[in-house]
Amino acid sequence: MFVDKKITETHHAQSPADTAIGHVANTDHGHHIFDVEFLSYLSTKISSFFGISENSMFFINLGITKHVFVLLFISTLMVLSIIGLIRNYISHKNNIPNKLMSVVEMFVVYLKDDVLENFIGKNYREWASLIYTIFFFVLFANISGLIPFFDLLGLFGKLGNNELLSNLSHGGATITANANVTFAIATITFVAFIGAGIKKYGFIQHWKNLAPSGLAWPLYFVVVPIEFMGLFIRPLALTLRLAGNMMGGHIALVIFITFIFSMADSFGAWAGFGIAPFSIALAVGLTMLELLVAVIQAYVFALLTAVFIGMAINVDH
Amino acid sequence: MGAGLAVIGAGIGIGLIGYGVAQAIARQPEAAGEIRSQTFLLAILVEGAAILLGLLSLVL
């Protein structure tokens, strides 16, 4: 148990803030974990079609970075596990849910009773599949961010000098801490709640429903812009809420851990040892909190989607 | 600084919601389920504003 000078020196090169950002951020766009020839060919073709140069910020990059890889992995895992579980459950005659199935059932029933029936109303079945999909996707993504499998892979990669594994290192991958991912989900919500209103009331009546009828006419100059802005603020708030929550939690977690190294840096190795029990205890507690937040944020995303769809469908004025 | 202000605002807001909920459930225990789901919604909206501002203060 001896902290070698070399270790503290290598950590000196990276400030705690850099480590924290590396933990939540995606890999660089020029830094793919898999090099798929076809995808990079396609990216250059599409970008040059729109007249975007290679070095531009708007370069359309289809390469597989860390977050894209995790996104694909989680989606596959989610679809296979959830569909497999439910198929298995339905096909059995005696209908006794196994352990995993009872967890899924708990979430499904809770969402149905508390969210769907309350906010969407009697015809909740129409939108149930969308809301369940959003809930389980966000849940899987949030929880997978708490499992440090990339750190472990990165460690093995450093030991064996494997290029693929060391590309995967620097931190876990909470894809929901990436605002691009949450914005994509929020866009689905945005399309869904506009589509829900249009489907129920027709195109023109839906837009009329946005502003309450029966006000004195000068008020419409105030109400209509506010409602219109609200329309776009809703998906934006969804995006930032999820991304901010996940990113904030993970940055706090990493900063608690890097306390050890910054103390060791400035006051010597023994200060690092001294602070380690406290910062690890805090980090463990914070991880428990993050587990709670992961489920709550998935619930919140599903809840708000249901609320917005319900607002478009049940117009009560 | 900005993050601190955002937290103060959200803290007051969520505190008021919690106060209201505790009173409402005490008066009508049978309506607890319905009150709770409404609470979630309100707390989320308040928290959403706080996170938005917190993030803004982080970026700017």
Side-chain angles (χ1 to χ4, degrees):
Chain A
M1 294 292 280
F2 172 66
V3 179
D4 173 5
K5 190 98 201 293
K6 234 186 219 160
I7 293 179
T8 41
E9 266 170 8
T10 47
H11 276 282
H12 195 72
Q14 243 185 350
S15 75
D18 286 337
T19 323
I21 292 300
H23 182 81
V24 287
N26 200 351
T27 46
D28 285 346
H29 287 300
H31 186 183
H32 301 152
I33 65 168
F34 293 122
D35 264 329
V36 185
E37 195 75 1
F38 173 67
L39 286 179
S40 47
Y41 172 75
L42 209 65
S43 323
T44 6
K45 271 286 166 206
I46 293 175
S47 300
S48 63
F49 177 76
F50 289 109
I52 308 167
S53 81
E54 186 93 23
N55 302 317
S56 161
M57 184 178 126
F58 299 103
F59 180 68
I60 297 165
N61 198 326
L62 300 174
I64 296 181
T65 56
K66 184 169 81 176
H67 282 181
V68 175
F69 171 70
V70 180
L71 179 68
L72 294 175
F73 177 72
I74 286 172
S75 324
T76 321
L77 185 74
M78 182 192 82
V79 167
L80 290 182
S81 60
I82 299 284
I83 289 182
L85 267 174
I86 293 176
R87 278 271 159 78
N88 189 19
Y89 174 53
I90 292 172
S91 65
H92 275 299
K93 286 262 157 55
N94 52 358
N95 276 357
I96 300 166
N98 59 16
K99 280 178 195 160
L100 272 174
M101 183 62 211
S102 23
V103 175
V104 172
E105 196 174 283
M106 184 191 83
F107 283 132
V108 168
V109 171
Y110 183 73
L111 275 181
K112 180 178 90 70
D113 287 347
D114 241 46
V115 175
L116 292 171
E117 282 180 348
N118 255 350
F119 290 105
I120 296 187
K122 258 181 262 155
N123 295 325
Y124 67 86
R125 266 176 185 281
E126 208 175 340
W127 297 98
S129 47
L130 173 76
I131 286 160
Y132 285 139
T133 311
I134 287 177
F135 175 76
F136 281 112
F137 178 72
V138 176
L139 185 70
F140 268 63
N142 286 352
I143 287 182
S144 77
L146 288 172
I147 304 170
F149 53 94
F150 278 109
D151 302 80
L152 289 176
L153 282 177
L155 189 67
F156 290 134
K158 294 245 163 62
L159 293 177
N161 229 356
N162 182 325
E163 200 191 338
L164 173 66
L165 289 181
S166 43
N167 278 351
L168 282 169
S169 71
H170 56 82
T174 324
I175 52 170
T176 39
N178 187 337
N180 295 314
V181 175
T182 51
F183 189 69
I185 312 173
T187 310
I188 295 172
T189 303
F190 183 68
V191 173
F193 72 71
I194 289 178
I198 289 176
K199 198 176 163 200
K200 178 96 184 266
Y201 294 103
F203 190 77
I204 294 168
Q205 185 59 37
H206 168 66
W207 295 106
K208 275 189 189 166
N209 279 339
L210 285 179
S213 54
L215 296 177
W217 66 267
L219 274 180
Y220 281 107
F221 290 108
V222 184
V223 169
V224 171
I226 287 178
E227 290 287 339
F228 195 70
M229 262 158 57
L231 201 65
F232 293 100
I233 286 175
R234 282 180 209 165
L236 193 71
L238 273 179
T239 307
L240 290 182
R241 173 177 303 112
L242 185 54
N245 259 306
M246 296 328 281
M247 196 157 63
H250 282 253
I251 288 179
L253 204 60
V254 180
I255 282 177
F256 277 133
I257 297 288
T258 48
F259 266 158
I260 301 173
F261 302 109
S262 54
M263 286 305 264
D265 256 3
S266 31
F267 302 112
W270 290 108
F273 271 123
I275 199 94
F278 301 105
S279 68
I280 287 177
L282 270 173
V284 169
L286 205 63
T287 310
M288 296 298 152
L289 186 72
E290 280 297 296
L291 263 177
L292 190 68
V293 168
V295 180
I296 288 179
Q297 289 304 318
Y299 171 69
V300 161
F301 212 110
L303 172 72
L304 283 179
T305 308
V307 169
F308 294 152
I309 290 173
M311 270 161 79
I313 289 179
N314 311 317
V315 183
D316 46 70
H317 36 69
Chain B
M1 172 97 183
L5 285 177
V7 166
I8 290 175
I12 294 172
I14 293 179
L16 282 177
I17 292 169
Y19 167 76
V21 171
Q23 278 207 330
I25 292 181
R27 281 185 192 165
Q28 268 187 312
E30 66 272 18
E34 216 165 293
I35 291 168
R36 199 174 40 213
S37 56
Q38 294 291 332
T39 313
F40 253 118
L41 184 61
L42 284 171
I44 289 160
L45 292 179
V46 171
E47 192 208 44
I51 286 173
L52 227 146
L53 291 177
L55 215 69
L56 262 178
S57 71
L58 204 73
V59 170
L60 295 182

